[in-house]
């Protein structure tokens, strides 16, 4: 829609302006570094490999974090909607799981190739990225890897969030089902025990109703 396109335009301007500003402040950064730094800040991944060293640069980091995170979260939600193009339309949970597997496996392979890593390390880097954990022990070191990560992160973060939310709901529902079943079995066992001894104080308080 026009509103979504306008939002994407605003985000693009914020990223471009922030990258230009940080490069002008921090002499050790190239423009690719500035672009990479901006996206890693807005996605909250923050590997720690590219940071501002000056007071003005750190002030810009704080302004960008406070002013840009909310807008960029909406942007990543929009970019993550590519999973709706996958098969199984109408089954958003399955689409999110397929999308997560794709961004992890394909993204890990691409990062491994660009950064000359093993596939296992590529998957590790991809997982640390798409979950926005960003441990910092592995991160893109080549210019091509940094550029790729700037596109990979926004495309994968919301997909991962939806997938993990789906998994969390499943675990919660299963856990609650087990709890309710155990609680119900315990109450009926107590009822049967009281009935067998000829005493049923629980029934007196209408805790149970006989079938």
């Amino acid at each position: 829609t026009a509103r979504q396109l306008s939002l994407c335009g605003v985000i693009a301007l914020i990223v471009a302006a922030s990258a230009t500003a940080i490069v002008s402040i921090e002499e050790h950064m190239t423009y690719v570094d500035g672009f990479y730094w901006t996206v890693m800040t807005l996605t909250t991944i923050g590997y720690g490999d590219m940071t501002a060293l000056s007071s003005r640069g750190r002030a810009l980091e704080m302004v960008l974090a406070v002013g840009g995170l909310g807008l960029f979260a909406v942007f990543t939600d929009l970019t993550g909607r590519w999973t709706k193009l996958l098969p199984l339309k109408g089954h958003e949970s399955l689409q999110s799981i397929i999308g997560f597997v794709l961004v992890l496996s394909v993204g890990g392979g691409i990062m491994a190739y660009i950064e000359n890593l093993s596939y296992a390390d590529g998957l590790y880097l991809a997982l640390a990225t798409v979950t926005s954990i960003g441990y910092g022990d592995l991160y893109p070191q080549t210019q091509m890897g940094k550029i790729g990560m700037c596109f990979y992160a926004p495309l994968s973060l919301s997909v991962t969030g939806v997938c993990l939310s789906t998994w969390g709901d499943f675990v919660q529902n299963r856990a609650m089902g087990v709890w309710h079943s155990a609680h119900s079995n315990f109450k009926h066992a107590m009822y049967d025990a009281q009935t067998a001894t000829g005493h049923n104080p629980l029934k007196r308080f209408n805790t149970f109703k006989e079938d």
Side-chain angles (χ1 to χ4, degrees):
T1 64
R3 183 178 179 181
Q4 292 172 341
L5 290 175
S6 299
L7 176 61
C8 291
V10 170
I11 293 296
L13 287 175
I14 291 175
V15 171
S18 300
T20 302
I22 196 65
V23 169
S24 66
I25 295 172
E26 301 292 333
E27 296 180 355
H28 67 285
M29 290 189 186
T30 65
Y31 192 76
V32 170
D33 291 336
F35 182 45
Y36 169 75
W37 168 86
T38 302
V39 175
M40 293 304 103
T41 300
L42 290 174
T43 54
T44 70
I45 295 172
Y47 297 110
D49 57 321
M50 191 64 60
T51 59
L53 302 179
S54 66
S55 298
R56 289 193 301 158
R58 289 170 179 168
L60 178 59
E61 284 181 335
M62 291 187 287
V63 171
L64 184 62
V66 173
L69 284 179
L71 283 175
F72 205 78
V74 177
F75 176 71
T76 55
D77 180 61
L78 292 176
T79 56
R81 293 184 181 181
W82 61 266
T83 56
K84 296 185 183 296
L85 301 176
L86 296 171
L88 301 173
K89 289 185 177 181
H91 300 276
E92 294 185 1
S93 297
L94 290 176
Q95 285 182 324
S96 67
I97 293 172
I98 294 172
F100 175 70
V101 172
L102 285 175
V103 297
L104 191 61
S105 58
V106 176
I110 293 174
M111 282 297 111
Y113 176 77
I114 294 175
E115 295 294 320
N116 195 25
L117 302 171
S118 68
Y119 186 63
D121 285 343
L123 284 177
Y124 175 78
L125 174 58
L127 184 62
T129 300
V130 301
T131 55
S132 74
I133 294 173
Y135 291 111
D137 52 339
L138 283 181
Y139 51 85
Q141 300 185 37
T142 65
Q143 297 291 289
M144 184 61 70
K146 291 175 182 178
I147 294 173
M149 194 61 76
C150 289
F151 291 97
Y152 175 65
L155 287 171
S156 59
L157 282 173
S158 65
V159 175
T160 303
V162 172
C163 180
L164 295 181
S165 176
T166 300
W167 171 247
D169 290 342
F170 172 77
V171 172
Q172 182 179 2
N173 290 335
R174 292 284 294 181
M176 291 301 295
V178 171
W179 163 254
H180 286 307
S181 177
H183 188 243
S184 177
N185 290 337
F186 174 75
K187 290 202 303 183
H188 282 86
M190 290 292 295
Y191 175 80
D192 291 341
Q194 293 290 335
T195 302
T197 58
H199 299 86
N200 193 5
L202 295 177
K203 183 178 179 181
R204 183 175 57 192
F205 293 104
N206 294 322
T207 304
F208 297 95
K209 294 181 179 180
E210 296 189 42
D211 296 334

